[in-house]
Amino acid sequence: MGPNTPAMQPPGAQPERTALSWQRTVLGTIVGALLLSMAAIRSGAPVLAIAAAALSLYVAARLMVSSPARSLRLGTRTQVWPGLARMAWSVACLGALGTATAMVNVWTSWP
Amino acid sequence: MNHREDESPAADEPRRERRPSAVYGVGVEPDARFSLANERTALAWVRTGLGLVAGGVALTSFSTFAEMPVLLEVVAAVACLAGGILAVYALRSWRTHEIALRTGSPLPAPAALPVLVAGVVAMALLLTGYAIASIVG
């Protein structure tokens, strides 16, 4: 039993708002990873493309299938930090892959 | 009000320790609304970082059609890097805010905000200058 069990829902629909916030973040990350994957293919960097696609699958599996959003709505969530850390580091990973793709482009277009 | 000492949880509490102990080992449980608001703030920072990364990905996608592709690629790389840093900053910010909520301390100011604004303005000016140069040159 935590502070978010159905019997003790805080007023203001806050768990619902937080669940929606999670959904926006997760979907945005998955779409961003897929877009980067396509950009990496166009840049001729298949390793980065596969890595970005793998990242989108990871985020979908770990944060969409067993989502903080659903456990928030059900009131079954016990911990915040693991999901949050997973989310933030996924975006950081995406940023690193994006930087790598840009550097590949600079390298290949260098005369 | 929801005051419960962390040293003696209620008998029906699951015995799993909440991570990180640096946060949950301190102070008392705050109002759930404040905790959830803190969480939404952290997710908003993550989405801001994601937006920067997405901008970088878009720039690097279209740089091949542009006149000075190297400049655009450099901006794209910086944007992606900044986005990643911002996402990790979200975690640190969540921690310090949750600790402040638990101990009843005043919330710290968002240190990343002026830096973020300055960075976005700089990027906008750079790209505007580039666009004008492309039209004129």
Side-chain angles (χ1 to χ4, degrees), chain B:
Chain B
M1 284 287 262
N2 200 8
H3 285 294
R4 185 180 66 240
E5 294 298 330
D6 278 340
E7 286 77 15
S8 52
D12 55 342
E13 288 282 315
R15 287 305 306 164
R16 218 158 121 228
E17 289 294 321
R18 278 189 295 173
R19 285 200 294 125
S21 52
V23 170
Y24 293 109
V26 174
V28 297
E29 196 73 10
D31 189 329
R33 287 175 293 177
F34 300 154
S35 252
L36 290 174
N38 188 23
E39 185 177 345
R40 285 197 302 280
T41 307
L43 288 173
W45 276 114
V46 170
R47 280 198 306 279
T48 309
L50 184 64
L52 277 174
V53 172
V57 171
L59 269 181
T60 198
S61 298
F62 298 126
S63 67
T64 44
F65 307 130
E67 281 182 359
M68 288 199 296
V70 177
L71 172 68
L72 291 186
E73 296 291 357
V74 168
V75 175
V78 170
C80 287
L81 206 59
I85 291 173
L86 213 53
V88 180
Y89 166 80
L91 286 182
R92 204 163 72 89
S93 170
W94 179 87
R95 286 172 75 122
T96 50
H97 280 75
E98 194 74 13
I99 290 174
L101 284 175
R102 295 182 70 88
T103 59
S105 317
L107 295 179
L113 202 52
V115 179
L116 173 68
V117 171
V120 171
V121 169
M123 227 163 49
L125 289 174
L126 201 63
L127 289 173
T128 307
Y130 168 82
I132 293 175
S134 298
I135 297 172
V136 168

Side-chain angles (χ1 to χ4, degrees), chain A residues 28-50:
Chain A
T29 307
I30 293 174
V31 169
L34 291 175
L35 288 174
L36 178 59
S37 189
M38 294 196 288
I41 290 175
R42 252 180 277 122
S43 303
V47 175
L48 293 175
I50 292 172

